[in-house]
């Protein structure tokens, strides 16, 4: 069988960091677009109620309980090729995931029946998220441990992955509001035809980023195929008794609720409460710049000094506190609200920057306990948890918007806009506070424990 020739592969370096960055850049061209604008597209363009859209998106994500873990098993049991064990999947699936994302935003179908539009959303959303996105994201995330065995290198990959996500957020969050909205009777209204074009452009960009990831990254750590007979009972027991995995899953779901709740509500609070799509664009720009200038350079250094768990807990508390002040102040000036948003985003940004390295810590911890390395399966379970966070966020936002009476006809009523503002503050307050509590009480991998696991695995592999 074909094997990765690690002796001829160049040493870990900037090409790997840039390539890994492009991988998440590609992921988030479709993921962030879905998080920030899919709900808005289907409520305002396709005419579906927010509650229906949110619930359908949430229910659809439970399919990932099967597809994510199945893909993780496929990856763990696949044989290495000349391109490695994980990289080939990126090349295979980059086209399908880009096409599926584009299909979700077809404004030309807005005139179809309500039932048809609901069915179309379910089918295209499942194809994009549960099938194609899963089949590229699981191998991509699992690949980090094969790129380098050095914990410092892996932390670097986590940082650069976060940089890629931030750049995608910068492009999508800053550019889309400036292009996708038109003014109708003095109010900013989302344009369906423009959203379709934007989705097509971002799909092409995602494809290019994936190809760059495949071309630049190299796998150096041989990861053999898992040849053990699949025992679903033993696998399930191993996963549900893995405290570090359960802790990071809880924190990840809550993080996604807070972060995607903030991003999702931005599509309503800025055009509807403050009548300013320019501020919506600016807040995405400033948040992304803050992540690149503050979180990315400092996260690895602070995590090395204090620990990833410790850094993340404190930063999430700070993020929640920012929105508590915002809720009390209730700023009339949109730029004051932007300030609170950006400060809170910096708080959650530190955790979001190091979380990928924390997943590698969880994989190491599992190997120390069980003697088996299951990168794909553990990452698949974590990926499913993130999708649950995305789904719960969509369901939560949709339900809360329906609760305050939001429809395309009531979008600018004072009682509705007041409800939108309150939701935009309460969601990150509760979400980020819960993240900090989950990390503190449920996640056991503090700085000392991580260092002990790294030393133990090095000893087992005969490293000095």
């Amino acid at each position: 069988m074909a094997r990765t020739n690690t002796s001829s592969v160049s040493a870990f370096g900037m090409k790997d960091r840039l390539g890994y960055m492009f991988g998440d850049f590609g992921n988030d061209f479709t993921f962030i677009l879905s998080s920030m604008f899919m709900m808005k597209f289907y409520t305002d363009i396709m005419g579906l109620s927010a509650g229906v859209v949110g619930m359908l998106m949430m229910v659809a994500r439970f399919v990932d309980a099967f597809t994510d873990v199945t893909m993780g098993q496929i990856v763990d049991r696949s044989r290495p090729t000349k391109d490695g064990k994980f990289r080939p999947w990126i090349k295979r699936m980059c086209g399908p995931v880009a096409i599926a994302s584009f299909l979700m935003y077809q404004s030309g179908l807005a005139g179809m029946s309500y039932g048809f539009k609901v069915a179309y959303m379910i089918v295209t959303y499942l194809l994009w998220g549960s099938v194609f996105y899963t089949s590229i994201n699981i191998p991509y995330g699992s690949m980090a441990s094969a790129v380098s065995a050095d914990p410092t290198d892996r932390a670097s990959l986590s940082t650069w992955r976060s940089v890629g996500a931030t750049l995608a957020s910068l492009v999508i969050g800053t550019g889309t509001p400036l292009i996708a909205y038109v003014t109708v009777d003095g109010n900013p209204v989302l344009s369906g035809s423009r959203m379709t074009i934007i989705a097509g452009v971002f799909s092409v960009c995602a494809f290019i980023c994936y190809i760059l990831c495949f071309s630049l990254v190299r796998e150096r750590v041989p990861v053999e195929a898992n040849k053990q007979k699949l025992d679903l009972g033993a696998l399930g027991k191993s996963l549900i008794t893995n405290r570090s995995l359960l802790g990071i899953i809880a924190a990840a779901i809550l993080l996604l609720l807070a972060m995607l709740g903030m991003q999702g509500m931005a599509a309503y609070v800025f055009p509807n409460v403050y009548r300013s799509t320019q501020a919506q664009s600016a807040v995405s720009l400033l948040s992304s710049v803050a992540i690149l200038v503050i979180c990315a350079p400092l996260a690895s250094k602070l995590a090395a000094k204090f620990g990833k768990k410790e850094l993340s807990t404190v930063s999430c508390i700070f993020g929640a506190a920012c929105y508590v002040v915002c809720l009390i102040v209730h700023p009339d000036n949109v730029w004051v609200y932007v300030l609170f948003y950006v400060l809170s985003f910096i708080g959650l940004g530190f955790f979001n920057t190091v979380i990928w390295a924390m997943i590698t810590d969880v994989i190491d911890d599992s190997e120390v306990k069980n003697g088996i390395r299951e990168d794909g399966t553990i990452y698949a379970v974590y990926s499913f948890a993130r999708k649950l966070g995305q789904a719960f966020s969509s369901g939560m936002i949709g339900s809360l918007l329906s609760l305050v009476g939001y429809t395309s006809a009531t979008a600018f009523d004072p009682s509705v806009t007041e409800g939108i503002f309150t939701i935009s503050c309460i969601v990150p307050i509760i979400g980020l506070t819960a993240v900090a509590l989950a990390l503190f009480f449920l996640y056991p991998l503090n700085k000392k424990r991580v260092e002990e696991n790294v030393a133990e695995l090095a000893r087992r592999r005969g490293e000095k």
Side-chain angles (χ1 to χ4, degrees), residues 242-261:
N242 188 331
R243 185 184 168 194
S244 59
L245 177 60
L246 295 177
I248 200 66
I249 283 175
I253 291 175
L254 294 167
L255 173 70
L256 267 292
L257 283 174
M259 183 172 69
L260 298 183

Side-chain angles (χ1 to χ4, degrees), residues 69-224:
V69 175
T70 298
M71 191 64 202
Q73 282 289 304
I74 291 173
V75 170
D76 280 339
R77 295 174 183 277
S78 64
R79 296 180 177 180
T81 71
K82 63 181 179 62
D83 293 323
K85 182 182 177 75
F86 306 102
R87 288 174 62 234
W89 291 100
I90 296 175
K91 184 170 65 173
R92 292 168 190 158
M93 305 311 300
C94 60
V97 73
I99 293 171
S101 177
F102 173 62
L103 291 176
M104 290 195 295
Y105 304 93
Q106 297 303 304
S107 59
L109 301 176
M112 302 297 287
S113 69
Y114 197 93
F116 175 88
K117 289 183 288 188
V118 170
Y120 183 83
M121 185 191 73
I122 294 175
V123 171
T124 54
Y125 193 59
L126 282 174
L127 280 176
W128 166 71
S130 299
V131 181
F132 298 131
Y133 185 85
T134 287
S135 62
I136 199 168
N137 186 51
I138 300 302
Y140 165 73
S142 305
M143 183 172 63
S145 61
V147 176
S148 174
D150 189 320
T152 303
D153 293 342
R154 292 176 177 179
S156 175
L157 289 176
S158 178
T159 297
W160 281 87
R161 175 172 183 166
S162 297
V163 169
T166 302
L167 290 174
S169 180
L170 179 64
V171 173
I172 296 168
T174 303
T176 303
L178 297 178
I179 300 172
Y181 286 89
V182 295
T183 301
V184 177
D185 296 329
N187 295 317
V189 177
L190 192 68
S191 167
S193 59
R194 292 188 181 188
M195 272 301 301
T196 301
I197 294 172
I198 289 168
V201 171
F202 288 163
S203 290
V204 173
C205 291
F207 177 82
I208 293 172
C209 288
Y210 284 133
I211 294 300
L212 287 171
C213 176
F214 174 82
S215 301
L216 294 173
V217 176
R218 291 292 180 270
E219 295 182 25
R220 297 172 181 81
V221 181
V223 181
E224 298 295 334

Side-chain angles (χ1 to χ4, degrees), residues 294-309:
I294 298 174
C295 296
L298 295 179
S300 295
K301 296 177 181 178
L302 292 174
K305 183 174 182 179
F306 299 106
K308 293 185 280 289
K309 169 183 174 176

Side-chain angles (χ1 to χ4, degrees), residues 244 365 369 444-454:
S244 59
D365 188 60
K369 292 179 178 178
L445 300 185
N446 56 24
K447 185 175 185 290
K448 180 181 177 182
R449 176 83 168 270
V450 169
E451 291 173 346
E452 291 173 347
N453 284 343
V454 170

Side-chain angles (χ1 to χ4, degrees), residues 238-431:
S238 173
L239 293 176
I240 64 175
T241 58
N242 188 331
R243 185 184 168 194
S244 59
L245 177 60
L246 295 177
I248 200 66
I249 283 175
I253 291 175
L254 294 167
L255 173 70
L256 267 292
L257 283 174
M259 183 172 69
L260 298 183
M262 288 173 63
Q263 293 176 338
M265 287 307 302
Y268 296 89
V269 72
F270 288 108
N272 296 88
V273 176
Y274 290 106
R275 310 293 204 276
S276 178
T277 55
Q278 291 79 11
Q280 182 181 354
S281 177
V283 80
S284 180
L285 172 63
L286 294 172
S287 298
S288 299
V289 170
I291 297 296
L292 293 173
V293 174
I294 298 174
C295 296
L298 295 179
S300 295
K301 296 177 181 178
L302 292 174
K305 183 174 182 179
F306 299 106
K308 293 185 280 289
K309 169 183 174 176
E310 295 81 355
L311 169 65
S312 301
T313 302
V314 172
S315 64
C316 285
I317 292 174
F318 170 79
C322 291
Y323 260 107
V324 170
V325 177
C326 182
L327 182 63
I328 295 171
V329 173
H330 198 313
D332 293 325
N333 188 306
V334 66
W335 298 109
V336 177
Y337 183 90
V338 166
L339 175 63
F340 286 119
Y341 184 107
V342 173
L343 288 174
S344 182
F345 208 82
I346 292 172
L348 68 84
F350 277 108
F351 179 36
N352 203 39
T353 299
V354 301
I355 194 170
W356 307 109
M358 295 172 77
I359 297 303
T360 307
D361 292 341
V362 171
I363 294 170
D364 286 348
D365 188 60
S366 179
E367 184 180 4
V368 167
K369 292 179 178 178
N370 304 323
I372 302 173
R373 192 162 188 91
E374 295 178 306
D375 299 78
T377 300
I378 290 177
Y379 186 83
V381 173
Y382 170 72
S383 176
F384 171 61
R386 286 184 67 87
K387 289 182 181 179
L388 280 183
Q390 182 192 19
F392 289 151
S393 172
S394 300
M396 173 186 65
I397 293 173
S399 299
L400 291 174
L401 286 172
S402 294
L403 186 64
V404 300
Y406 179 89
T407 66
S408 57
T410 64
F412 297 95
D413 289 355
S415 61
V416 173
T417 57
E418 179 63 24
I420 290 173
F421 172 82
T422 302
I423 293 170
S424 74
C425 295
I426 292 295
V427 167
I429 290 172
I430 296 176

